[in-house]
Amino acid sequence: MRDIRTIDLNLLRALDALLDERNVSKAAERLGVTQPAVSGMLTRLRESFDDSLFVRSQRGVQPTLRALALAEPVKQILANVEALLRPAAFDPATASLTLTLAATDYALQAVVVPFVMKLRRYAPGIRVATRPVDNDRIAQQFERGELDLALMTPESAPLDLHSRRLFDETYVCALRAGHPDAGGTTIPIDRFCALDHALVSFSGGSFHGVTDEALAREGRERHVALSFHSFLALAEVLRATDLIAVVPRRLAAASDGLALMEPPVAVPGFTKLAVWHGRTHNDAGHRWVRALLFETCGAVDALGSELLRCGSLDQTA
C-alpha cells in the first residue's frame, strides 16, 4: 500500500466531495474541475488506500465500508488544514501581545507618546517596550526577533526590511514665549546669528548641526552655547533662558511655553519611516498595531482604516 503520509490534500478534498455527492459529475462541479480529473483522482485514491472506495450504482457511486470509515477523519483533517490557513482573528480589546519598538529620543516624544496614548485606549493589554535605535545592529535585532518595529529614516533603514513612510519632518526655531525676539514670524539672520543657541547632538558633544551647514552655505555662522545629547531637557532650558534652538516641528509643537518661528535660512528636514521584519508582516495583531501607528502619524490608508475598524535619521539641528 502507498504511504498515505504523502497523500495530496487535493485527493482528500476529492474524497470528501465524492462521499458527500455520491456522484462523479457533481463532485467535479463542486471542486471546479472536470469529470475526468475527478476520475483520475479517484484512481489515485484507490491506490493510496488499497480499496475500491466507490462502486458504480444506478444513481452514481456508492461508498465502500472503507470509504465510509474514512468520511469523518477526512472532514476533520480538512477542517484542521482550513483552520491553519485561516488568518488568526484579532481583537485589540482582549489582545495581550508584547511590542518591542526601537526609536530615537525625538521619535519617542513625537511619535511613540501619542501612539501609546491611543494604544492604551483601544488595546490596554498590549505591552510596549522601547529601546534605542542601534543602526549597526538593527538588522540582526529584527532577525533574532528582538525587535518588532523601528522608527528610522530612509538613509539608515536596511533595504531588506518592510517599511512605510510616516511623515516628512521640518524644522522651526523655538524660543521661550516671553523672549525679546518672539514677536514675529521669523528672526532676521543677523539677529539669529548673534543669539546664543542650543542644539541636540545624539552622538554627544557636537556643537555643529544641519543649521550650521545651512548657514555656512550663506557665508554665515552662529554661536552654539549648549549641546545636549537628548531632547528631554531642551524645552525646559529654552523656557528658562534666552537660548534659542532649531528643532523638529512636531517636537516643538508638543512643548508648552515656547514660541515657534521659521528659521531665517532653509534647513533641510528628514523623513520618518516605520520599519518591520517579514516575520510579522502578515500577523493580524502586528498589522493592526501598525495601522494604529500610521493613523497616529496621519499616514493611514484604506487598508489601515479597515484594519482598525475590524479591530473595534533624525538630524542634529
Side-chain angles (χ1 to χ4, degrees):
M1 187 175 92
R2 182 176 170 183
D3 187 349
I4 63 172
R5 288 177 297 178
T6 62
I7 193 168
D8 189 337
L9 279 174
N10 287 325
L11 294 183
L12 293 184
R13 292 189 179 97
L15 177 56
D16 182 56
L18 286 166
L19 283 164
D20 287 346
E21 303 295 342
R22 310 289 173 95
N23 184 286
V24 175
S25 297
K26 290 181 179 180
E29 183 178 351
R30 171 170 154 179
L31 294 169
V33 299
T34 64
Q35 182 175 334
V38 172
S39 296
M41 286 189 278
L42 179 54
T43 299
R44 293 169 60 191
L45 283 164
R46 286 166 170 163
E47 294 174 355
S48 296
F49 291 101
D50 194 22
D51 188 271
S52 60
L53 297 177
F54 295 91
V55 295
R56 292 187 181 278
S57 69
Q58 290 183 343
R59 297 181 180 180
V61 292
Q62 290 297 318
T64 65
L65 293 178
R66 174 68 166 138
L68 290 173
L70 291 170
E72 185 174 344
V74 165
K75 282 194 179 295
Q76 186 61 56
I77 290 171
L78 293 176
N80 290 341
V81 171
E82 183 181 353
L84 284 173
L85 297 177
R86 187 186 306 124
F90 178 77
D91 179 5
T94 59
S96 60
L97 66 88
T98 296
L99 178 74
T100 304
L101 189 154
T104 62
D105 183 49
Y106 156 78
L108 279 176
Q109 296 183 66
V111 179
V112 177
V113 169
F115 166 66
V116 168
M117 290 171 65
K118 281 194 171 187
L119 190 65
R120 293 296 303 164
R121 184 160 69 248
Y122 296 120
I126 294 181
R127 303 191 303 173
V128 178
T130 66
R131 58 195 310 168
V133 174
D134 185 343
N135 291 334
D136 294 332
R137 297 184 59 244
I138 197 83
Q140 183 182 48
Q141 289 173 322
F142 272 115
E143 197 68 33
R144 291 181 174 179
E146 298 170 358
L147 280 181
D148 299 307
L149 269 172
L151 304 179
M152 309 180 73
T153 58
E155 297 82 3
S156 58
L159 296 177
D160 58 343
L161 295 177
H162 295 277
S163 66
R164 168 73 178 272
R165 184 182 69 82
L166 297 178
F167 55 82
D168 297 320
E169 181 63 287
T170 58
Y171 284 100
V172 294
C173 183
L175 57 167
R176 66 180 177 88
H179 194 286
D181 296 283
T185 58
T186 189
I187 302 175
I189 192 167
D190 288 341
R191 179 61 178 164
F192 181 83
C193 293
L195 291 170
D196 286 341
H197 290 246
L199 61 69
V200 173
S201 168
F202 294 107
S203 59
S206 176
F207 289 88
H208 187 89
V210 291
T211 301
D212 301 280
E213 295 171 4
L215 286 169
R217 288 191 287 271
E218 302 291 329
R220 310 300 291 264
E221 62 180 359
R222 63 175 178 168
H223 178 249
V224 178
L226 176 65
S227 174
F228 274 148
H229 73 279
S230 168
F231 280 112
L232 290 174
L234 180 61
E236 185 174 350
V237 168
L238 293 178
R239 285 191 292 262
T241 70
D242 281 342
L243 290 171
I244 68 172
V246 178
V247 296
R249 187 181 300 271
R250 284 176 175 250
L251 193 66
S255 300
D256 296 329
L258 297 180
L260 307 183
M261 309 170 71
E262 296 299 322
V265 291
V267 180
F270 57 90
T271 297
K272 186 60 66 176
L273 303 178
V275 179
W276 63 94
H277 193 270
R279 65 184 173 80
T280 61
H281 184 62
N282 292 315
D283 179 82
H286 285 272
R287 291 176 70 206
W288 184 90
V289 166
R290 291 195 299 269
L292 184 66
L293 176 65
F294 301 156
E295 182 191 67
T296 302
C297 295
V300 72
D301 56 12
L303 173 60
S305 297
E306 179 66 13
L307 287 171
L308 291 171
R309 184 187 66 78
C310 291
S312 139
L313 167 83
D314 304 331
Q315 301 176 32
T316 301

